[in-house]
Amino acid sequence: MSITRRSTLGLMAGTSTLVFAPSIARAQQITINAHYSMPAIFKPAQDAVVEAFHRAQNDVRVTYLNPTPTYEDGAQLILRGAATNQLPDISFQGLNRLRIFAERGIAVDLRPHLAEMGDLGRLGYTEQLLGLGRAAGMQAGLAWATSNPVSYYNVDLVRRAGLDPDAFPTSWDEVIRWSAAIKRLGDGIEGMFFRWPGDDWMFSALVFGFGGRMLNANESDVGFAGPEGLNALRLLDRMVKEGGMPNYAGTADLQAFAAGRLGMMFRTTAQVVGVRESVGRNFELRTARLPVIDPVNGRLPTGGAGGMITTRDAARQRAAFAFLRYCTSVEGTTIMVRNTGYVPTNQLALDEPRHLAAFYAENPLFRPATEQMPLMIQWTPFPGANSVRATETIVNQLSRIVEQRATPEEVQRDMATEVRRLLPRV
């Protein structure tokens, strides 16, 4: 995922309509149904990419179903739809959930469609990004929006606390010190919030940061039962005890941050646009890389969404793939980045100045996530039918630390025991 310029890109200039026009008979226009989750983040991008797709060709129309609030809700919607034969033609799912649909035969293998495209590398589809959509021996989807966790901070509060906003912490020890200093400002101001609720993504960022993994190599056992997992839980515990981290629920941290009541917030880069708009001119907003834990072995989980096709009807399947191909093209990726803050999924969009290279140069809030791209690895998809329950178990256990109801050692023991019960028997 290196951000390098490619000399062959000029061959692609000015050809978007030709390249992405679907191979569908013009005698009959096809309307496909599409689904996505998290409209609070994705709606501007989803709407914009459909409008652009409709302008680029006349053969396929896309109609969105009501979006689901979260990736987990979206996964459950598709699982229920598969049971009742009421599936959309295409669904944008969390990348860590594609495995469920591949294992259950819900997702269509995209390899035949990709084979018809020719040289995928020349079209900007890198092997690393294609790998994010592979599961159960098939190409279950194509990554459309990828993310990694970044640091958001309020420059005004940092300065008031006597800290240097030009030297954001590169270690969690320093973050915790900053948090305590900002909290000492009083008047209800909080120092930091690490976005742990919702799913296991941000927790896995700590585990990966210590060089660990959520599962072992053959997926027969949990990987967070070792020292890396314990260190991650101890760090979360320190955020509460030493940094004074509050127990925000839902989007309370976003609201507090926008109101200038929270100094630092650690969340997905996908929310850069939304945070920037909510902050407005209330204070100076900056972003930075997530603090490094292990500079050699540390990694970050790749979040985001991938497009998955479910229809078995040949004509509708080709129409759905035409839309998915446009979403993941240079044009589609550029639309997605400008409307969200997600990391691009098409290398050509990064390389071409007329797309995103110049955009990143002019928009520093978006840059930390692209600088972290070499650290990105797959967000662990738990195998088997209990994948969602495994994630819920982890979140429930993390709450015990944040609420100071259990020690990191107790939580690690119980978390490992409960998730092991949910893994498929080898």
Side-chain angles (χ1 to χ4, degrees), residues 31-195:
T31 298
I32 59 171
N33 296 317
H35 158 264
Y36 69 95
S37 294
M38 300 200 301
I41 295 176
F42 276 115
K43 189 178 189 306
Q46 297 280 175
D47 290 347
V49 79
V50 164
E51 291 175 9
F53 178 62
H54 287 170
R55 289 194 301 268
Q57 50 75 55
N58 298 311
D59 297 330
V60 182
R61 302 285 98 176
V62 179
T63 299
Y64 282 129
L65 306 177
N66 289 333
T68 43
T70 69
Y71 284 144
E72 304 309 313
D73 294 324
Q76 294 295 346
L77 176 74
I78 298 302
L79 291 174
R80 291 194 301 269
T84 59
N85 197 28
Q86 293 179 311
L87 287 169
D89 299 301
I90 183 171
S91 176
F92 292 87
Q93 290 285 331
L95 290 170
N96 70 323
R97 295 300 177 216
L98 293 177
R99 177 173 184 162
I100 298 176
F101 307 113
E103 291 177 341
R104 298 192 179 193
I106 297 172
V108 169
D109 191 349
L110 301 180
R111 287 179 296 181
H113 296 285
L114 291 171
E116 295 179 0
M117 291 172 57
D119 187 346
L120 295 176
R122 186 172 176 271
L123 296 174
Y125 295 85
T126 65
E127 181 61 23
Q128 191 167 6
L129 283 168
L130 286 170
L132 296 176
R134 291 187 184 129
M138 62 185 285
Q139 189 74 45
L142 291 180
W144 182 51
T146 61
S147 64
N148 56 60
V150 296
S151 311
Y152 299 80
Y153 64 106
N154 180 326
V155 171
D156 297 6
L157 288 181
V158 168
R159 286 200 176 105
R160 282 180 56 192
L163 306 167
D164 182 2
D166 296 326
F168 191 81
T170 57
S171 73
W172 285 107
D173 288 342
E174 192 69 3
V175 165
I176 291 172
R177 186 181 75 81
W178 272 37
S179 179
I182 294 171
K183 189 176 179 69
R184 283 197 294 271
L185 292 173
D187 195 26
I189 292 174
E190 302 289 354
M192 69 172 289
F193 186 74
F194 185 86
R195 178 64 183 170

Side-chain angles (χ1 to χ4, degrees), residues 322-397:
F323 177 53
L324 179 55
R325 181 177 174 182
Y326 187 85
C327 289
T328 56
S329 70
V330 174
E331 290 81 357
T333 289
T334 300
I335 290 170
M336 177 274 300
V337 169
R338 290 178 180 271
N339 282 277
T340 59
Y342 276 101
V343 176
T345 55
N346 189 296
Q347 184 67 40
L348 304 192
L350 275 170
D351 294 341
E352 267 287 86
R354 70 187 181 95
H355 292 294
L356 290 175
F359 170 79
Y360 282 116
E362 298 167 1
N363 293 272
L365 292 177
F366 293 78
R367 287 203 295 263
T370 62
E371 294 167 354
Q372 294 179 151
M373 286 173 70
L375 300 178
M376 291 168 63
I377 61 173
Q378 188 179 39
W379 179 9
T380 305
F382 287 95
N386 294 317
S387 178
V388 174
R389 288 183 59 197
T391 297
E392 292 172 345
T393 296
I394 291 171
V395 173
N396 291 337
Q397 287 294 330

Side-chain angles (χ1 to χ4, degrees), residues 383-391 393 417-424:
N386 294 317
S387 178
V388 174
R389 288 183 59 197
T391 297
T393 296
T417 298
E418 292 183 27
V419 174
R420 279 173 176 144
R421 291 174 181 154
L422 297 173
L423 296 178

Side-chain angles (χ1 to χ4, degrees), residues 14-28:
T15 62
S16 59
T17 301
L18 174 62
V19 170
F20 298 106
S23 302
I24 300 166
R26 294 184 180 274
Q28 183 178 2

